[in-house]
Amino acid sequence: MSKSWYIVHTYTGYEKKIERTLRSMLDAGELDPNVVCDVKVPEEEVVEIKDGKKKVRKNRFLSGYIMLELDLPEIGWKNTCSLIRRIQGVTGFVGTNPNVRPRPITKDEATNLLQRSGDIKGDNKVVRIKQTYSVGDQVKITEGAFNSFSGTVDEVLAERAKLRVIVQIFGRETPVEVDLTQVEKLI
């Protein structure tokens, strides 16, 4: 037996409720904590900028799915899986029929999902910015060395979450690279 991550399909919007139910079943002793090791609802941080104020909120990026770390035994796996499937809102394990042993996701897939949600350290931890920018947009810089300067977006560097903005400094157009969280769109 070895621990692996499994994906459980749920009704959309029931993810947190099912996570709480699984945790209460573990606390009550209905599920063996040696078999059900961890429960995760994959979420990522989203930064929303409104009226110059940053709001950080969690956003589910796998809506309708939860992750379970299980150490399924060769004998007796059916009982555990049956208990999980009977929870209201659970439709089953992804990729398998109810009478077939569930298949885990690969270690790489699990690592990518856990890094994206910030549960383990890595390069894939991304904070998404809700505001979108395009070339030609008028923006005001709200933080950093060029605070209160206004300019025009010259280039969007999405992979680095940055913008190149052309601002007027001493009467000359100057390109400035700023983080997406340091600007707000002017209307």
Side-chain angles (χ1 to χ4, degrees), residues 51-64:
D51 302 326
K53 296 179 183 171
K54 278 192 260 182
K55 286 186 180 180
V56 179
R57 63 180 175 83
K58 295 278 191 176
N59 189 27
R60 288 185 206 109
F61 62 86
L62 278 181
S63 189

Side-chain angles (χ1 to χ4, degrees), residues 59-73:
N59 189 27
R60 288 185 206 109
F61 62 86
L62 278 181
S63 189
Y65 298 94
I66 61 173
M67 295 175 66
L68 283 178
E69 187 178 27
L70 302 175
D71 192 2
L72 283 180

Side-chain angles (χ1 to χ4, degrees), residues 79-158:
N79 184 37
T80 302
C81 293
S82 178
L83 283 170
I84 293 169
R85 281 190 192 98
R86 278 193 241 137
I87 297 172
Q88 183 180 358
V90 172
T91 58
F93 286 85
V94 171
T96 57
N97 294 326
N99 57 350
V100 177
R101 183 184 169 101
R103 287 181 301 209
I105 60 175
T106 65
K107 295 230 183 274
D108 288 341
E109 290 171 324
T111 302
N112 287 338
L113 289 172
L114 293 169
Q115 283 177 349
R116 185 170 171 192
S117 64
D119 292 318
I120 58 175
K121 301 291 183 213
D123 299 334
N124 291 358
K125 173 76 168 101
V126 176
V127 175
R128 237 177 12 101
I129 308 295
K130 189 170 182 185
Q131 183 76 43
T132 57
Y133 299 96
S134 56
V135 174
D137 285 348
Q138 295 293 314
V139 294
K140 179 180 178 182
I141 301 173
T142 57
E143 293 179 20
F146 299 99
N147 186 9
S148 77
F149 279 81
S150 294
T152 307
V153 176
D154 183 47
E155 186 178 1
V156 178
L157 307 165

Side-chain angles (χ1 to χ4, degrees), residues 38 90 183:
D38 201 0
V90 172
V183 296

